[in-house]
Amino acid sequence: MSSFLSRGIRGNGGSNTGCTKAPDVDAIPRGGIVVNVIETGTKRVVNLRRGVAIAALTLVLAGCGAAESSSGSGSDPMSTEEFLSEHGLGGMDAVEAIDHLDQQAVDDRPSDLMASVYPDELVLAGEAQEVTLDLPEEKSYVSIAPYVKTTHDCFYHSLTTCRGELANEKLDVQITDSATGDRVIDDQVFTFDNGFAGFWVPSGIEGTIDITHEGKSGSVDFSTAEDAATCITDLRLS
């Protein structure tokens, strides 16, 4: 299981701080720290020394507007359950934690936690510790932020920092498996307070997402392959 930091540190810019842009395999610093390297077809990750990783994560959290906190005390790492309880996620599995965090009011979201959704796992990172929770093999999570005027680049969804344009708005959503023609989602939903609407869909499929909102509509292709995006922000409503 790969490290959160080796799989991609979140950027820090604007209200969408924390959303991961599409990976760039050319962005490899010589003699530096590789934090966002994924090759088409195969994943290429670089393990970081724990001390360097923690220092880098502390900077990222600061850039994401996290509240100031004291440096690590050097105490032993908490157990997974202790870590989850510390961040209000006690007793939750990956599905429950993702649903809880994505649907949480923006003002209530933790400022000391990065929660990132990958195709196969949820990665939770505090300032001094990282915990991963496996997603169900047959399920993938896709979080969609349709837009009318403004959007942002995003690849892996950050549950605690990503923000979309249309918060708390009603959408008609259809998600179709192109191989079978089956509609895996056909529902009317409200976007969460962060402007996203999240859906659990079958893993390993390709298809289309169609959304209608107040007379405007848009469509975009999607995939739930093992290297696919979990954050959809390029669906424009017109």
PDB file of all heavy atoms in Angstrom, residues 24-57:
ATOM      1  N   ASP A  24       1.438  14.648 -13.593  1.00  0.00           N
ATOM      2  CA  ASP A  24       2.367  15.028 -14.644  1.00  0.00           C
ATOM      3  C   ASP A  24       3.649  14.232 -14.461  1.00  0.00           C
ATOM      4  O   ASP A  24       4.400  14.454 -13.522  1.00  0.00           O
ATOM      5  CB  ASP A  24       2.655  16.528 -14.563  1.00  0.00           C
ATOM      6  CG  ASP A  24       3.644  16.992 -15.624  1.00  0.00           C
ATOM      7  OD1 ASP A  24       4.041  16.161 -16.458  1.00  0.00           O
ATOM      8  OD2 ASP A  24       4.011  18.181 -15.602  1.00  0.00           O
ATOM      9  N   VAL A  25       3.898  13.284 -15.371  1.00  0.00           N
ATOM     10  CA  VAL A  25       5.059  12.406 -15.194  1.00  0.00           C
ATOM     11  C   VAL A  25       6.364  13.139 -15.449  1.00  0.00           C
ATOM     12  O   VAL A  25       7.438  12.630 -15.139  1.00  0.00           O
ATOM     13  CB  VAL A  25       4.979  11.189 -16.139  1.00  0.00           C
ATOM     14  CG1 VAL A  25       3.762  10.361 -15.828  1.00  0.00           C
ATOM     15  CG2 VAL A  25       4.980  11.630 -17.604  1.00  0.00           C
ATOM     16  N   ASP A  26       6.326  14.339 -16.020  1.00  0.00           N
ATOM     17  CA  ASP A  26       7.555  15.091 -16.267  1.00  0.00           C
ATOM     18  C   ASP A  26       7.963  15.939 -15.069  1.00  0.00           C
ATOM     19  O   ASP A  26       9.056  16.485 -15.028  1.00  0.00           O
ATOM     20  CB  ASP A  26       7.382  16.010 -17.480  1.00  0.00           C
ATOM     21  CG  ASP A  26       7.197  15.206 -18.752  1.00  0.00           C
ATOM     22  OD1 ASP A  26       7.851  14.151 -18.870  1.00  0.00           O
ATOM     23  OD2 ASP A  26       6.405  15.628 -19.609  1.00  0.00           O
ATOM     24  N   ALA A  27       7.062  16.067 -14.088  1.00  0.00           N
ATOM     25  CA  ALA A  27       7.361  16.916 -12.935  1.00  0.00           C
ATOM     26  C   ALA A  27       8.155  16.136 -11.908  1.00  0.00           C
ATOM     27  O   ALA A  27       7.683  15.823 -10.818  1.00  0.00           O
ATOM     28  CB  ALA A  27       6.060  17.439 -12.310  1.00  0.00           C
ATOM     29  N   ILE A  28       9.394  15.802 -12.256  1.00  0.00           N
ATOM     30  CA  ILE A  28      10.246  15.012 -11.383  1.00  0.00           C
ATOM     31  C   ILE A  28      11.493  15.810 -11.063  1.00  0.00           C
ATOM     32  O   ILE A  28      12.391  15.927 -11.892  1.00  0.00           O
ATOM     33  CB  ILE A  28      10.658  13.680 -12.046  1.00  0.00           C
ATOM     34  CG1 ILE A  28       9.404  12.931 -12.527  1.00  0.00           C
ATOM     35  CG2 ILE A  28      11.464  12.842 -11.090  1.00  0.00           C
ATOM     36  CD1 ILE A  28       9.729  11.668 -13.287  1.00  0.00           C
ATOM     37  N   PRO A  29      11.578  16.417  -9.881  1.00  0.00           N
ATOM     38  CA  PRO A  29      12.749  17.210  -9.549  1.00  0.00           C
ATOM     39  C   PRO A  29      13.986  16.350  -9.368  1.00  0.00           C
ATOM     40  O   PRO A  29      13.924  15.307  -8.736  1.00  0.00           O
ATOM     41  CB  PRO A  29      12.346  17.888  -8.224  1.00  0.00           C
ATOM     42  CG  PRO A  29      11.326  16.973  -7.626  1.00  0.00           C
ATOM     43  CD  PRO A  29      10.594  16.363  -8.784  1.00  0.00           C
ATOM     44  N   ARG A  30      15.093  16.764  -9.956  1.00  0.00           N
ATOM     45  CA  ARG A  30      16.352  16.046  -9.794  1.00  0.00           C
ATOM     46  C   ARG A  30      16.949  16.349  -8.421  1.00  0.00           C
ATOM     47  O   ARG A  30      17.183  17.504  -8.081  1.00  0.00           O
ATOM     48  CB  ARG A  30      17.332  16.476 -10.890  1.00  0.00           C
ATOM     49  CG  ARG A  30      16.872  16.065 -12.289  1.00  0.00           C
ATOM     50  CD  ARG A  30      16.910  14.545 -12.442  1.00  0.00           C
ATOM     51  NE  ARG A  30      16.430  14.123 -13.754  1.00  0.00           N
ATOM     52  CZ  ARG A  30      15.227  13.634 -13.982  1.00  0.00           C
ATOM     53  NH1 ARG A  30      14.377  13.521 -12.990  1.00  0.00           N
ATOM     54  NH2 ARG A  30      14.876  13.274 -15.182  1.00  0.00           N
ATOM     55  N   GLY A  31      17.178  15.302  -7.655  1.00  0.00           N
ATOM     56  CA  GLY A  31      17.751  15.476  -6.334  1.00  0.00           C
ATOM     57  C   GLY A  31      16.768  15.979  -5.304  1.00  0.00           C
ATOM     58  O   GLY A  31      17.128  16.262  -4.175  1.00  0.00           O
ATOM     59  N   GLY A  32      15.496  16.092  -5.703  1.00  0.00           N
ATOM     60  CA  GLY A  32      14.497  16.602  -4.779  1.00  0.00           C
ATOM     61  C   GLY A  32      13.556  15.503  -4.335  1.00  0.00           C
ATOM     62  O   GLY A  32      13.868  14.325  -4.416  1.00  0.00           O
ATOM     63  N   ILE A  33      12.361  15.890  -3.913  1.00  0.00           N
ATOM     64  CA  ILE A  33      11.356  14.952  -3.427  1.00  0.00           C
ATOM     65  C   ILE A  33      10.314  14.767  -4.512  1.00  0.00           C
ATOM     66  O   ILE A  33       9.722  15.731  -4.974  1.00  0.00           O
ATOM     67  CB  ILE A  33      10.671  15.478  -2.150  1.00  0.00           C
ATOM     68  CG1 ILE A  33      11.718  15.731  -1.057  1.00  0.00           C
ATOM     69  CG2 ILE A  33       9.614  14.518  -1.662  1.00  0.00           C
ATOM     70  CD1 ILE A  33      11.138  16.420   0.147  1.00  0.00           C
ATOM     71  N   VAL A  34      10.088  13.545  -4.932  1.00  0.00           N
ATOM     72  CA  VAL A  34       9.053  13.282  -5.924  1.00  0.00           C
ATOM     73  C   VAL A  34       7.758  13.011  -5.187  1.00  0.00           C
ATOM     74  O   VAL A  34       7.664  12.085  -4.401  1.00  0.00           O
ATOM     75  CB  VAL A  34       9.431  12.068  -6.786  1.00  0.00           C
ATOM     76  CG1 VAL A  34       8.364  11.809  -7.832  1.00  0.00           C
ATOM     77  CG2 VAL A  34      10.782  12.310  -7.461  1.00  0.00           C
ATOM     78  N   VAL A  35       6.750  13.850  -5.432  1.00  0.00           N
ATOM     79  CA  VAL A  35       5.516  13.724  -4.673  1.00  0.00           C
ATOM     80  C   VAL A  35       4.301  13.495  -5.549  1.00  0.00           C
ATOM     81  O   VAL A  35       3.211  13.313  -5.049  1.00  0.00           O
ATOM     82  CB  VAL A  35       5.281  14.989  -3.821  1.00  0.00           C
ATOM     83  CG1 VAL A  35       6.372  15.126  -2.794  1.00  0.00           C
ATOM     84  CG2 VAL A  35       5.192  16.251  -4.707  1.00  0.00           C
ATOM     85  N   ASN A  36       4.430  13.500  -6.879  1.00  0.00           N
ATOM     86  CA  ASN A  36       3.244  13.354  -7.707  1.00  0.00           C
ATOM     87  C   ASN A  36       3.609  12.694  -9.038  1.00  0.00           C
ATOM     88  O   ASN A  36       3.618  13.320 -10.077  1.00  0.00           O
ATOM     89  CB  ASN A  36       2.634  14.734  -7.963  1.00  0.00           C
ATOM     90  CG  ASN A  36       1.253  14.621  -8.562  1.00  0.00           C
ATOM     91  OD1 ASN A  36       0.637  13.564  -8.480  1.00  0.00           O
ATOM     92  ND2 ASN A  36       0.759  15.698  -9.145  1.00  0.00           N
ATOM     93  N   VAL A  37       3.935  11.405  -8.992  1.00  0.00           N
ATOM     94  CA  VAL A  37       4.416  10.717 -10.184  1.00  0.00           C
ATOM     95  C   VAL A  37       3.556   9.499 -10.439  1.00  0.00           C
ATOM     96  O   VAL A  37       3.525   8.575  -9.646  1.00  0.00           O
ATOM     97  CB  VAL A  37       5.879  10.274 -10.025  1.00  0.00           C
ATOM     98  CG1 VAL A  37       6.351   9.585 -11.301  1.00  0.00           C
ATOM     99  CG2 VAL A  37       6.756  11.460  -9.699  1.00  0.00           C
ATOM    100  N   ILE A  38       2.824   9.507 -11.560  1.00  0.00           N
ATOM    101  CA  ILE A  38       2.031   8.355 -11.953  1.00  0.00           C
ATOM    102  C   ILE A  38       2.151   8.215 -13.460  1.00  0.00           C
ATOM    103  O   ILE A  38       1.959   9.173 -14.187  1.00  0.00           O
ATOM    104  CB  ILE A  38       0.549   8.521 -11.564  1.00  0.00           C
ATOM    105  CG1 ILE A  38       0.409   8.647 -10.043  1.00  0.00           C
ATOM    106  CG2 ILE A  38      -0.273   7.357 -12.077  1.00  0.00           C
ATOM    107  CD1 ILE A  38      -1.017   8.833  -9.594  1.00  0.00           C
ATOM    108  N   GLU A  39       2.477   7.033 -13.960  1.00  0.00           N
ATOM    109  CA  GLU A  39       2.600   6.811 -15.388  1.00  0.00           C
ATOM    110  C   GLU A  39       1.347   6.131 -15.922  1.00  0.00           C
ATOM    111  O   GLU A  39       0.702   5.364 -15.221  1.00  0.00           O
ATOM    112  CB  GLU A  39       3.823   5.940 -15.683  1.00  0.00           C
ATOM    113  CG  GLU A  39       5.141   6.635 -15.380  1.00  0.00           C
ATOM    114  CD  GLU A  39       6.319   5.744 -15.716  1.00  0.00           C
ATOM    115  OE1 GLU A  39       6.110   4.523 -15.795  1.00  0.00           O
ATOM    116  OE2 GLU A  39       7.421   6.266 -15.896  1.00  0.00           O
ATOM    117  N   THR A  40       1.024   6.437 -17.165  1.00  0.00           N
ATOM    118  CA  THR A  40      -0.137   5.835 -17.801  1.00  0.00           C
ATOM    119  C   THR A  40       0.003   4.317 -17.805  1.00  0.00           C
ATOM    120  O   THR A  40       1.003   3.781 -18.242  1.00  0.00           O
ATOM    121  CB  THR A  40      -0.278   6.341 -19.237  1.00  0.00           C
ATOM    122  OG1 THR A  40      -0.364   7.763 -19.214  1.00  0.00           O
ATOM    123  CG2 THR A  40      -1.510   5.748 -19.897  1.00  0.00           C
ATOM    124  N   GLY A  41      -1.045   3.650 -17.326  1.00  0.00           N
ATOM    125  CA  GLY A  41      -1.062   2.186 -17.344  1.00  0.00           C
ATOM    126  C   GLY A  41      -0.468   1.562 -16.105  1.00  0.00           C
ATOM    127  O   GLY A  41      -0.924   0.543 -15.646  1.00  0.00           O
ATOM    128  N   THR A  42       0.587   2.176 -15.561  1.00  0.00           N
ATOM    129  CA  THR A  42       1.189   1.652 -14.338  1.00  0.00           C
ATOM    130  C   THR A  42       1.473   2.802 -13.399  1.00  0.00           C
ATOM    131  O   THR A  42       1.790   3.906 -13.818  1.00  0.00           O
ATOM    132  CB  THR A  42       2.517   0.926 -14.607  1.00  0.00           C
ATOM    133  OG1 THR A  42       3.418   1.841 -15.225  1.00  0.00           O
ATOM    134  CG2 THR A  42       2.300  -0.269 -15.522  1.00  0.00           C
ATOM    135  N   LYS A  43       1.371   2.542 -12.120  1.00  0.00           N
ATOM    136  CA  LYS A  43       1.641   3.574 -11.140  1.00  0.00           C
ATOM    137  C   LYS A  43       3.100   3.513 -10.734  1.00  0.00           C
ATOM    138  O   LYS A  43       3.620   2.457 -10.432  1.00  0.00           O
ATOM    139  CB  LYS A  43       0.755   3.395  -9.899  1.00  0.00           C
ATOM    140  CG  LYS A  43      -0.729   3.522 -10.218  1.00  0.00           C
ATOM    141  CD  LYS A  43      -1.575   3.310  -8.983  1.00  0.00           C
ATOM    142  CE  LYS A  43      -3.042   3.372  -9.306  1.00  0.00           C
ATOM    143  NZ  LYS A  43      -3.890   3.129  -8.140  1.00  0.00           N
ATOM    144  N   ARG A  44       3.762   4.666 -10.727  1.00  0.00           N
ATOM    145  CA  ARG A  44       5.153   4.725 -10.303  1.00  0.00           C
ATOM    146  C   ARG A  44       5.221   5.683  -9.128  1.00  0.00           C
ATOM    147  O   ARG A  44       5.007   6.873  -9.277  1.00  0.00           O
ATOM    148  CB  ARG A  44       6.050   5.221 -11.438  1.00  0.00           C
ATOM    149  CG  ARG A  44       7.503   5.368 -11.043  1.00  0.00           C
ATOM    150  CD  ARG A  44       8.373   5.330 -12.275  1.00  0.00           C
ATOM    151  NE  ARG A  44       8.042   6.380 -13.234  1.00  0.00           N
ATOM    152  CZ  ARG A  44       8.667   7.560 -13.256  1.00  0.00           C
ATOM    153  NH1 ARG A  44       9.604   7.836 -12.380  1.00  0.00           N
ATOM    154  NH2 ARG A  44       8.350   8.458 -14.160  1.00  0.00           N
ATOM    155  N   VAL A  45       5.467   5.173  -7.953  1.00  0.00           N
ATOM    156  CA  VAL A  45       5.488   5.994  -6.763  1.00  0.00           C
ATOM    157  C   VAL A  45       6.870   5.948  -6.147  1.00  0.00           C
ATOM    158  O   VAL A  45       7.637   5.012  -6.360  1.00  0.00           O
ATOM    159  CB  VAL A  45       4.439   5.529  -5.722  1.00  0.00           C
ATOM    160  CG1 VAL A  45       3.049   5.679  -6.281  1.00  0.00           C
ATOM    161  CG2 VAL A  45       4.701   4.101  -5.299  1.00  0.00           C
ATOM    162  N   VAL A  46       7.179   6.954  -5.367  1.00  0.00           N
ATOM    163  CA  VAL A  46       8.478   7.053  -4.731  1.00  0.00           C
ATOM    164  C   VAL A  46       8.272   7.141  -3.227  1.00  0.00           C
ATOM    165  O   VAL A  46       7.566   8.013  -2.741  1.00  0.00           O
ATOM    166  CB  VAL A  46       9.236   8.300  -5.228  1.00  0.00           C
ATOM    167  CG1 VAL A  46      10.558   8.427  -4.515  1.00  0.00           C
ATOM    168  CG2 VAL A  46       9.447   8.216  -6.732  1.00  0.00           C
ATOM    169  N   ASN A  47       8.852   6.222  -2.502  1.00  0.00           N
ATOM    170  CA  ASN A  47       8.738   6.233  -1.060  1.00  0.00           C
ATOM    171  C   ASN A  47       9.559   7.367  -0.475  1.00  0.00           C
ATOM    172  O   ASN A  47      10.683   7.600  -0.877  1.00  0.00           O
ATOM    173  CB  ASN A  47       9.224   4.901  -0.462  1.00  0.00           C
ATOM    174  CG  ASN A  47       8.323   3.771  -0.865  1.00  0.00           C
ATOM    175  OD1 ASN A  47       7.118   3.946  -0.949  1.00  0.00           O
ATOM    176  ND2 ASN A  47       8.896   2.598  -1.126  1.00  0.00           N
ATOM    177  N   LEU A  48       8.999   8.070   0.486  1.00  0.00           N
ATOM    178  CA  LEU A  48       9.694   9.152   1.156  1.00  0.00           C
ATOM    179  C   LEU A  48      10.064   8.729   2.563  1.00  0.00           C
ATOM    180  O   LEU A  48       9.346   7.975   3.200  1.00  0.00           O
ATOM    181  CB  LEU A  48       8.782  10.393   1.245  1.00  0.00           C
ATOM    182  CG  LEU A  48       8.272  10.967  -0.088  1.00  0.00           C
ATOM    183  CD1 LEU A  48       7.398  12.180   0.195  1.00  0.00           C
ATOM    184  CD2 LEU A  48       9.419  11.344  -0.979  1.00  0.00           C
ATOM    185  N   ARG A  49      11.188   9.245   3.039  1.00  0.00           N
ATOM    186  CA  ARG A  49      11.520   8.998   4.430  1.00  0.00           C
ATOM    187  C   ARG A  49      10.464   9.638   5.304  1.00  0.00           C
ATOM    188  O   ARG A  49       9.990  10.717   5.044  1.00  0.00           O
ATOM    189  CB  ARG A  49      12.892   9.585   4.747  1.00  0.00           C
ATOM    190  CG  ARG A  49      14.038   8.866   4.029  1.00  0.00           C
ATOM    191  CD  ARG A  49      15.370   9.472   4.395  1.00  0.00           C
ATOM    192  NE  ARG A  49      16.453   8.807   3.692  1.00  0.00           N
ATOM    193  CZ  ARG A  49      17.712   9.177   3.781  1.00  0.00           C
ATOM    194  NH1 ARG A  49      18.047  10.229   4.540  1.00  0.00           N
ATOM    195  NH2 ARG A  49      18.647   8.531   3.122  1.00  0.00           N
ATOM    196  N   ARG A  50      10.110   8.946   6.381  1.00  0.00           N
ATOM    197  CA  ARG A  50       9.013   9.410   7.224  1.00  0.00           C
ATOM    198  C   ARG A  50       9.230  10.821   7.744  1.00  0.00           C
ATOM    199  O   ARG A  50       8.330  11.644   7.739  1.00  0.00           O
ATOM    200  CB  ARG A  50       8.831   8.436   8.398  1.00  0.00           C
ATOM    201  CG  ARG A  50       7.776   8.849   9.399  1.00  0.00           C
ATOM    202  CD  ARG A  50       6.419   8.990   8.757  1.00  0.00           C
ATOM    203  NE  ARG A  50       5.970   7.758   8.153  1.00  0.00           N
ATOM    204  CZ  ARG A  50       4.815   7.645   7.523  1.00  0.00           C
ATOM    205  NH1 ARG A  50       4.029   8.682   7.393  1.00  0.00           N
ATOM    206  NH2 ARG A  50       4.472   6.494   6.991  1.00  0.00           N
ATOM    207  N   GLY A  51      10.459  11.139   8.140  1.00  0.00           N
ATOM    208  CA  GLY A  51      10.703  12.481   8.659  1.00  0.00           C
ATOM    209  C   GLY A  51      10.457  13.556   7.627  1.00  0.00           C
ATOM    210  O   GLY A  51       9.857  14.591   7.904  1.00  0.00           O
ATOM    211  N   VAL A  52      10.925  13.320   6.389  1.00  0.00           N
ATOM    212  CA  VAL A  52      10.716  14.281   5.316  1.00  0.00           C
ATOM    213  C   VAL A  52       9.245  14.371   4.973  1.00  0.00           C
ATOM    214  O   VAL A  52       8.704  15.445   4.729  1.00  0.00           O
ATOM    215  CB  VAL A  52      11.530  13.874   4.076  1.00  0.00           C
ATOM    216  CG1 VAL A  52      11.230  14.804   2.902  1.00  0.00           C
ATOM    217  CG2 VAL A  52      13.019  13.898   4.393  1.00  0.00           C
ATOM    218  N   ALA A  53       8.559  13.221   4.955  1.00  0.00           N
ATOM    219  CA  ALA A  53       7.139  13.210   4.617  1.00  0.00           C
ATOM    220  C   ALA A  53       6.339  14.027   5.605  1.00  0.00           C
ATOM    221  O   ALA A  53       5.460  14.801   5.238  1.00  0.00           O
ATOM    222  CB  ALA A  53       6.628  11.765   4.591  1.00  0.00           C
ATOM    223  N   ILE A  54       6.611  13.853   6.880  1.00  0.00           N
ATOM    224  CA  ILE A  54       5.870  14.592   7.896  1.00  0.00           C
ATOM    225  C   ILE A  54       6.126  16.082   7.768  1.00  0.00           C
ATOM    226  O   ILE A  54       5.210  16.900   7.864  1.00  0.00           O
ATOM    227  CB  ILE A  54       6.240  14.082   9.304  1.00  0.00           C
ATOM    228  CG1 ILE A  54       5.716  12.651   9.487  1.00  0.00           C
ATOM    229  CG2 ILE A  54       5.675  15.000  10.373  1.00  0.00           C
ATOM    230  CD1 ILE A  54       6.197  12.000  10.763  1.00  0.00           C
ATOM    231  N   ALA A  55       7.376  16.459   7.531  1.00  0.00           N
ATOM    232  CA  ALA A  55       7.690  17.878   7.375  1.00  0.00           C
ATOM    233  C   ALA A  55       6.962  18.468   6.178  1.00  0.00           C
ATOM    234  O   ALA A  55       6.412  19.571   6.247  1.00  0.00           O
ATOM    235  CB  ALA A  55       9.203  18.049   7.210  1.00  0.00           C
ATOM    236  N   ALA A  56       6.936  17.715   5.057  1.00  0.00           N
ATOM    237  CA  ALA A  56       6.251  18.208   3.869  1.00  0.00           C
ATOM    238  C   ALA A  56       4.761  18.334   4.106  1.00  0.00           C
ATOM    239  O   ALA A  56       4.130  19.297   3.688  1.00  0.00           O
ATOM    240  CB  ALA A  56       6.521  17.266   2.689  1.00  0.00           C
ATOM    241  N   LEU A  57       4.159  17.355   4.774  1.00  0.00           N
ATOM    242  CA  LEU A  57       2.736  17.400   5.043  1.00  0.00           C
ATOM    243  C   LEU A  57       2.385  18.573   5.937  1.00  0.00           C
ATOM    244  O   LEU A  57       1.356  19.225   5.762  1.00  0.00           O
ATOM    245  CB  LEU A  57       2.280  16.090   5.695  1.00  0.00           C
ATOM    246  CG  LEU A  57       0.795  16.031   6.058  1.00  0.00           C
ATOM    247  CD1 LEU A  57      -0.060  16.251   4.810  1.00  0.00           C
ATOM    248  CD2 LEU A  57       0.461  14.702   6.694  1.00  0.00           C
TER     249      LEU A  57
END
